[in-house]
């Protein structure tokens, strides 16, 4: 074998050794990285962890009406408020570990309506100065919590 063939053979061997070394490093990184994971999304193993999850809805209606009339105030100065809240689906939370978990999970809904109506009339006030408020709240699905 001449000197050029020996040099080419050494270069090929070095390239193969380099590629094999890279493959080994990548394989080690892929194998070890899950073991070094610091935090999971909402579930951790063998660590204290906190998870907070909530669905909050709020509605408010403030109404005021004042009527002064020298004549008829028929169907005047009425306050109407229609409020509806609807939740559909699931609110699920899961934690695993050796204790020390602090889960907080809630579905909160609140509604309020403040109405005031004053009518001063020199005539008929039929159907005037009424406060009407219709509120409804509905939750469908489940609110589940699990700890391991």
């Amino acid at each position: 074998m001449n000197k050029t063939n020996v040099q080419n053979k050494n270069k090929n061997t070095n390239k193969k050794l380099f590629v094999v070394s890279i493959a080994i490093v990548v394989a080690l990184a892929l194998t070890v990285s899950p073991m070094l994971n610091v935090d999971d999304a909402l579930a951790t193993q063998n660590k204290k962890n906190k998870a907070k999850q909530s669905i909050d809805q709020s509605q408010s209606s403030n109404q005021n009406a004042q009527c002064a009339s020298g004549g008829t105030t028929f169907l005047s100065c009425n306050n109407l408020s229609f409020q509806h809240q609807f939740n559909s689906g699931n609110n699920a939370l899961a934690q695993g570990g050796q204790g020390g978990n602090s889960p907080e999970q809630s579905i909160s809904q609140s509604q309020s309506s403040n109405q005031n109506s004053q009518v001063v009339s020199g005539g008929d006030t039929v159907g005037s100065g009424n406060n009407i408020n219709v509120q409804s709240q509905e939750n469908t699905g489940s609110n589940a919590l699990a700890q391991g």
Side-chain angles (χ1 to χ4, degrees), residues 72-93:
T72 301
T73 56
F74 181 72
L75 293 176
S76 301
C77 291
N78 295 306
N79 292 315
L80 303 173
S81 174
F82 300 96
Q83 297 179 340
H84 179 71
Q85 293 180 335
F86 178 75
N87 283 321
S88 177
N90 299 316
N91 187 15
L93 178 84

Side-chain angles (χ1 to χ4, degrees), residues 42 50-58 87-94 102-109 139 142-145:
L42 283 179
K50 296 180 181 180
K52 294 181 182 181
Q53 183 177 14
S54 67
I55 296 173
D56 298 315
Q57 291 180 321
S58 179
N87 283 321
S88 177
N90 299 316
N91 187 15
L93 178 84
S102 300
E104 292 181 26
Q105 182 182 25
S106 66
I107 296 176
S108 302
Q109 293 177 316
N139 286 306
S142 60
N143 188 16
L145 172 75

Side-chain angles (χ1 to χ4, degrees), residues 10-29:
N10 284 340
K11 285 182 183 180
N12 287 339
T13 302
N14 288 342
K15 285 181 184 179
K16 288 179 184 177
L17 183 61
F18 180 74
V19 169
V20 169
S21 299
I22 294 293
I24 290 172
V25 169
V26 169
L28 283 173

Side-chain angles (χ1 to χ4, degrees), residues 112-130:
S112 68
S113 177
N114 299 313
Q115 297 174 324
N116 184 20
S117 181
Q118 298 174 349
V119 179
V120 177
S121 176
D124 191 6
T125 59
V126 174
S128 300
N130 296 306

Side-chain angles (χ1 to χ4, degrees), residues 26-77:
V26 169
L28 283 173
L30 291 173
T31 304
V32 174
S33 64
M35 294 179 220
L36 299 176
N37 194 5
V38 176
D39 272 326
D40 298 327
L42 283 179
T44 55
Q45 199 74 10
N46 299 325
K47 300 176 206 156
K48 292 181 181 180
N49 58 78
K50 296 180 181 180
K52 294 181 182 181
Q53 183 177 14
S54 67
I55 296 173
D56 298 315
Q57 291 180 321
S58 179
Q59 292 177 326
S60 179
S61 174
N62 297 310
Q63 297 175 331
N64 188 20
Q66 295 179 345
C67 293
S69 173
T72 301
T73 56
F74 181 72
L75 293 176
S76 301
C77 291

